[in-house]
């Protein structure tokens, strides 16, 4: 590719002599001052680049992506942390639009039974453009609870529950046609909030050309599964290295985020009851900062197995695998797949009393700020393993099915736990290569993996 003659052009990772082949040091850049920075600075052979210096690896925020991606030439080995139009999956209204389209496509091509495998998101309408469709649906089911969410904000901001059409009409009068405030309308330059968290979709999933603050009206799940009388949702991590072909990894660890207050439908205005976001819960008067409100997924899985038996738990976790794959497939044809890009998604899943999982949203920049020591350790290991798979050091063969805490879930088709043989779904003994909430003996696995890779290098074919 020839270098564009453009004064705004910037080149990164351009080879200088033998530097690209040897890669003695990897130059990294990021604006996030949290767990990520600790992991990058502690990685052997990685060197931090500031300001306008050339880099090989950039964990960027999406405002940089929007402004610079098209003007940046990247060398073969360069990597950045987002796909160009990641918002197709991570903006609430686009996610639903893509899932609805994908479900229709499946129904046409494979029948209703296959399409029903996409019925894992609540009935949703984009507001204000689908207001009349919403009203029609609302009148069919009077008395049920709905939840309104701004499509491009995060941390529970702007969310409210309602049961009366009057509430939504008041909202419509105040919002429809109203421009965003100048602060909200400006794409944020640096999406690190005061706590250092980078979970602010107010900037990341917002498209500049949409002047009205859009919302989604979503049927509220009134029968959530409760533990100790409290509502929770699950945060699960999925790493996508490529969309064409689709290559996705599932992390073994994650956590359940609990509300601080016992669940009831009698007080729909109490955000401490209904919103599990840590940003909301930590403002609760009886929040315990050391204890927090999280359970690690391993503990959660064990709790469910003791209550419902291992078979019910296997079914639930298999249904969650289905959510991850179908949601990625729904955007596979619209995401601009670029070999320089990868994405670490944070999935938010709610489980109801029937042990059915529901997809609430997908985050392009899941918070990497730790809320406790246990949380810090989880995020440190998650990020270290992400960097192992991105493989700037060029150590992997590309045939690995496990790297640290990540298991290869999809590789242009389902991946089997069994070694060898073709990965054919539909076979009686086919078991997918996922271990969400299972033991994560990542250190041992990494030692074995890198030892065997060293051995292969020493013994040429």
């Amino acid at each position: 590719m020839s270098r564009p003659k453009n004064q705004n052009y910037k080149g990164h990772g351009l080879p200088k002599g033998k530097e690209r082949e040897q890669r003695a040091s990897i130059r990294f850049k990021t604006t996030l001052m949290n767990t990520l920075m600790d992991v990058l600075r502690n990685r052997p052979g990685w060197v931090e680049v500031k300001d306008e210096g050339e880099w090989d690896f950039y964990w960027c925020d999406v405002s940089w992506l929007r402004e610079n991606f098209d003007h940046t030439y990247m060398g073969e080995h360069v990597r950045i942390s987002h796909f160009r139009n990641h918002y197709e999956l991570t903006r609430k209204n686009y996610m639903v639009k893509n899932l609805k389209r994908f479900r229709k496509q499946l129904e046409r091509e494979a029948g209703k039974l296959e399409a029903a495998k996409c019925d894992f998101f609540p009935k949703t309408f984009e507001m204000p453009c689908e207001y009349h469709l919403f009203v029609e649906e609302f009148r069919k089911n009077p008395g049920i609870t709905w939840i309104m969410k701004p499509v491009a904000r995060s941390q529970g901001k702007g969310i409210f529950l309602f049961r009366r059409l009057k509430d939504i009409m008041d909202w419509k009068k105040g919002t429809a046609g109203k421009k965003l405030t100048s602060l909200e309308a400006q794409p944020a330059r640096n999406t690190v909030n005061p706590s250092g968290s980078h979970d602010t979709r107010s900037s990341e999933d917002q498209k500049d050309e949409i002047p009205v603050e859009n919302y989604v009206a979503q049927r509220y799940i009134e029968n959530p599964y409760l533990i100790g009388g409290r509502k929770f949702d699950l945060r699960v991590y999925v790493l996508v290295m490529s969309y064409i072909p689709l290559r996705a990894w599932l992390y073994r660890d994650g956590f359940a985020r609990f509300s601080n207050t016992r669940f009831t439908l009698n007080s729909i205005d109490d955000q401490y009851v209904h919103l599990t976001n840590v940003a909301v819960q930590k403002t609760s008067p009886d929040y315990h900062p050391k204890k927090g409100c999280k359970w690690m997924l391993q503990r959660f899985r064990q709790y469910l197995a003791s209550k419902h038996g291992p078979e019910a738990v296997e079914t639930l976790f298999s249904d969650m695998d289905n959510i991850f794959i179908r949601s990625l497939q729904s955007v596979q044809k619209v995401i601009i797949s670029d070999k320089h890009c990868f994405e670490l998604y944070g999935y938010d899943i709610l489980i109801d009393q029937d042990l059915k999982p529901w997809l609430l949203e997908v985050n392009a920049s899941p918070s990497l700020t730790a809320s406790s020591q246990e949380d810090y350790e989880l995020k440190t290991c998650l990020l270290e393993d992400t960097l192992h798979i991105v493989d700037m050091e060029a150590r992997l063969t590309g045939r690995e099915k496990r790297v640290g805490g990540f298991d290869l879930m999809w590789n242009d088709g389902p991946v089997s736990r069994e070694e060898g043989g073709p990965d054919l779904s539909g076979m009686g003994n086919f078991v997918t290569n996922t271990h969400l909430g299972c033991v994560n003996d990542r250190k041992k696995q990494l030692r074995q993996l890198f030892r065997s890779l060293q051995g292969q290098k020493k013994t040429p074919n």
Side-chain angles (χ1 to χ4, degrees):
M1 189 190 289
S2 62
R3 185 167 168 156
K5 291 179 179 171
N6 176 339
Q7 58 195 38
N8 294 327
Y9 154 85
K10 291 173 189 167
H12 292 284
L14 295 172
K16 293 178 180 174
K18 290 190 177 178
E19 180 190 9
R20 188 187 172 283
E21 293 162 35
Q22 293 168 349
R23 267 188 253 165
S25 67
I26 289 148
R27 301 160 297 180
F28 77 84
K29 186 174 178 179
T30 188
T31 52
L32 310 186
M33 300 303 294
N34 52 31
T35 315
L36 175 70
M37 184 61 92
D38 296 346
V39 169
L40 290 169
R41 283 178 174 163
N42 289 327
R43 199 162 176 86
W46 286 48
V47 181
E48 188 175 354
V49 170
K50 300 210 172 161
D51 303 324
E52 295 302 301
E54 258 188 35
W55 42 266
D56 305 303
F57 178 94
Y58 189 9
W59 198 293
C60 62
D61 60 43
V62 296
S63 59
W64 180 90
L65 200 73
R66 207 165 32 226
E67 292 159 22
N68 299 289
F69 189 92
D70 293 336
H71 312 293
T72 305
Y73 171 76
M74 298 181 207
E76 182 74 20
H77 69 289
V78 165
R79 295 290 177 268
I80 62 169
S81 61
H82 294 291
F83 286 94
R84 180 71 182 84
N85 57 339
H86 62 88
Y87 47 78
E88 292 286 352
L89 182 61
T90 57
R91 191 177 166 125
K92 298 175 188 82
N93 53 338
Y94 291 175
M95 178 188 88
V96 170
K97 177 197 73 175
N98 284 312
L99 280 167
K100 284 178 177 175
R101 193 199 64 244
F102 185 59
R103 185 167 58 186
K104 279 181 188 161
Q105 179 196 327
L106 281 176
E107 194 168 334
R108 275 196 316 271
E109 294 172 3
K112 288 191 173 178
L113 210 60
E114 196 63 20
K117 291 180 184 171
C118 286
D119 291 341
F120 49 70
F121 58 99
K123 199 169 273 286
T124 305
F125 297 90
E126 187 173 346
M127 308 290 262
C129 66
E130 293 183 328
Y131 177 73
H132 295 295
L133 288 172
F134 162 72
V135 170
E136 203 178 300
E137 181 66 29
F138 183 92
R139 288 187 170 139
K140 277 187 212 165
N141 298 283
I144 67 164
T145 311
W146 291 79
I147 185 166
M148 282 285 278
K149 303 175 184 177
V151 299
R153 287 204 254 173
S154 68
Q155 299 182 328
K157 295 185 187 88
I159 294 178
F160 64 93
L161 276 64
F162 66 96
R163 291 198 189 111
R164 300 175 310 164
L165 210 48
K166 180 187 179 298
D167 298 333
I168 201 79
M169 288 166 96
D170 291 346
W171 168 84
K172 189 170 182 268
K173 279 178 203 156
T175 306
K178 186 175 83 177
K179 301 280 181 187
L180 290 170
T181 65
S182 58
L183 182 68
E184 286 178 311
Q186 289 299 318
R189 291 284 167 266
N190 202 342
T191 59
V192 181
N193 68 20
S195 71
S197 166
H198 188 60
D199 204 4
T200 45
R201 287 172 303 288
S202 51
S203 58
E204 76 183 16
D205 289 353
Q206 185 166 295
K207 288 205 72 189
D208 307 340
E209 60 271 28
I210 298 178
V212 174
E213 179 162 28
N214 287 17
Y215 270 64
V216 289
Q218 200 168 65
R219 190 164 173 165
Y220 186 65
I221 293 161
E222 296 183 317
N223 64 331
Y225 190 96
L226 304 177
I227 295 178
R230 296 182 301 156
K231 181 184 170 183
F232 64 91
D233 68 0
L234 304 180
R235 166 56 59 87
V236 180
Y237 298 99
V238 173
L239 174 65
V240 175
M241 293 305 297
S242 158
Y243 270 98
I244 301 173
L246 181 58
R247 188 173 169 84
W249 300 75
L250 179 64
Y251 202 63
R252 294 186 173 202
D253 289 334
F255 48 84
R257 301 181 296 189
F258 286 84
S259 65
N260 226 28
T261 311
R262 290 177 74 83
F263 183 77
T264 172
L265 283 169
N266 296 334
S267 53
I268 62 171
D269 297 329
D270 188 342
Q271 58 178 3
Y272 298 129
V273 171
H274 301 285
L275 304 184
T276 57
N277 311 62
V278 175
V280 170
Q281 291 299 327
K282 70 182 181 187
T283 64
S284 165
D286 51 355
Y287 177 75
H288 195 298
K290 280 194 179 164
K291 216 163 111 191
C293 42
K294 291 181 179 177
W295 266 18
M296 291 299 118
L297 269 184
Q298 217 174 313
R299 182 180 175 191
F300 171 70
R301 187 169 183 146
Q302 287 164 354
Y303 173 87
L304 284 187
S306 70
K307 284 268 184 188
H308 305 280
E311 274 185 40
V313 173
E314 280 298 327
T315 302
L316 166 63
F317 277 73
S318 170
D319 289 345
M320 284 200 274
D321 292 346
N322 174 64
I323 290 178
F324 307 136
I325 296 303
R326 302 278 173 176
S327 58
L328 294 173
Q329 287 176 327
S330 77
V331 295
Q332 192 178 3
K333 288 179 180 170
V334 290
I335 294 268
I336 301 161
S337 192
D338 186 307
K339 66 183 176 188
H340 299 104
C341 305
F342 68 93
E343 193 100 41
L344 179 65
Y345 293 110
Y347 274 73
D348 291 346
I349 308 275
L350 183 84
I351 292 161
D352 70 18
Q353 284 170 1
D354 302 322
L355 293 186
K356 174 181 166 67
W358 296 88
L359 175 60
L360 299 182
E361 63 181 290
V362 184
N363 302 281
S365 298
S367 171
L368 299 175
T369 300
S371 58
S372 67
Q373 184 57 35
E374 194 175 35
D375 200 33
Y376 181 81
E377 284 163 18
L378 182 151
K379 285 169 179 170
T380 299
C381 296
L382 167 75
L383 290 167
E384 284 175 359
D385 293 347
T386 298
L387 297 181
H388 291 323
I389 290 173
V390 173
D391 194 29
M392 295 300 296
E393 297 89 350
R395 294 181 292 186
L396 303 182
T397 64
R399 295 187 298 275
E400 291 79 11
K401 287 182 13 178
R402 182 180 176 196
V403 175
F406 276 107
D407 297 291
L408 185 61
M409 169 171 57
W410 195 267
N411 189 18
D412 203 21
V415 180
S416 166
R417 278 186 205 180
E418 299 304 314
E419 289 302 321
D423 291 329
L424 300 171
S425 58
M427 286 170 57
N429 59 352
F430 184 91
V431 183
T432 51
N433 185 42
T434 53
H435 303 265
L436 185 61
C438 296
V439 174
N440 185 7
D441 54 341
R442 57 179 292 277
K443 283 188 178 170
K444 180 183 168 190
Q445 195 276 337
L446 287 169
R447 273 197 305 272
Q448 289 172 344
L449 173 67
F450 289 119
R451 200 179 294 134
S452 75
L453 290 171
Q454 281 294 108
Q456 286 172 36
K457 281 185 180 171
K458 284 175 186 166
T459 321
N461 293 338

